[in-house]
Amino acid sequence: MRKILVVLAFTLMLASCGGAAKPSTDINVTMTDFQFSPTQFTVPAGKEISVSSSNTGAVVHNFVIMKLGTTAGTEFNDEDIPNVYWEVEIQPGGSVDTSFTAPSEPGEYEVVCRTPGHLQAGMIAKMTVVAAEE
Ligand SMILES: [Cu+2]
């Protein structure tokens, strides 16, 4: 019985910390041809998020956060533009330091590159917004 409790406690611990990283007000992202690194970001709701982005690829890339509950689908089209929450464009070989205010609603937000063909090529990531601790 005691062993079962230990296993259970460990499982709960994994469930609470596993996968979802601690929220950070910093996003450091590198874009290559054609992926984001890393592909998961966790930020606190409603906070100012500093973004350090660089593009080590040979073509222009974008870090585009879609609004909660929306997806660019398999390719980014004009109809996806109203669903963009925030975005930044980085020229090849360039880097951009900027910031944005995290959404106030916790949830999972899709991140894509809107340069034609890049989403299909695998430029997709996820930003998890968690309730901010006061
Ligand atoms: Cu791209």
Side-chain angles (χ1 to χ4, degrees):
M1 186 61 190
R2 190 183 161 82
K3 192 174 176 182
I4 292 170
L5 283 176
V6 169
V7 169
L8 187 66
F10 186 66
T11 306
L12 286 173
M13 203 175 78
L14 280 182
S16 56
C17 341
K22 248 177 93 82
S24 170
T25 53
D26 292 302
I27 284 180
N28 293 298
V29 60
T30 303
M31 281 152 260
T32 56
D33 309 335
F34 299 91
Q35 74 191 114
F36 294 106
S37 177
T39 55
Q40 297 220 30
F41 308 93
T42 304
V43 300
K47 301 282 185 183
E48 189 74 3
I49 309 300
S50 301
V51 179
S52 298
S53 55
S54 58
N55 176 356
T56 60
V59 289
V60 66
H61 292 299
N62 304 269
F63 185 88
V64 181
I65 302 168
M66 303 302 292
K67 290 179 183 169
L68 187 63
T70 70
T71 170
T74 53
E75 80 183 292
F76 192 96
N77 304 310
D78 286 352
E79 70 212 38
D80 297 312
I81 293 171
N83 294 331
V84 170
Y85 176 78
W86 183 81
E87 65 182 308
V88 60
E89 179 181 276
I90 304 98
Q91 297 300 316
S95 58
V96 176
D97 290 342
T98 181
S99 66
F100 70 97
T101 303
S104 53
E105 261 189 285
E108 292 191 350
Y109 292 70
E110 185 176 87
V111 175
V112 300
C113 178
R114 63 184 285 178
T115 308
H118 291 198
L119 175 53
Q120 293 95 312
M123 292 198 74
I124 188 163
K126 186 172 78 178
M127 183 180 78
T128 304
V129 175
V130 298
E133 289 171 29
E134 292 307 322

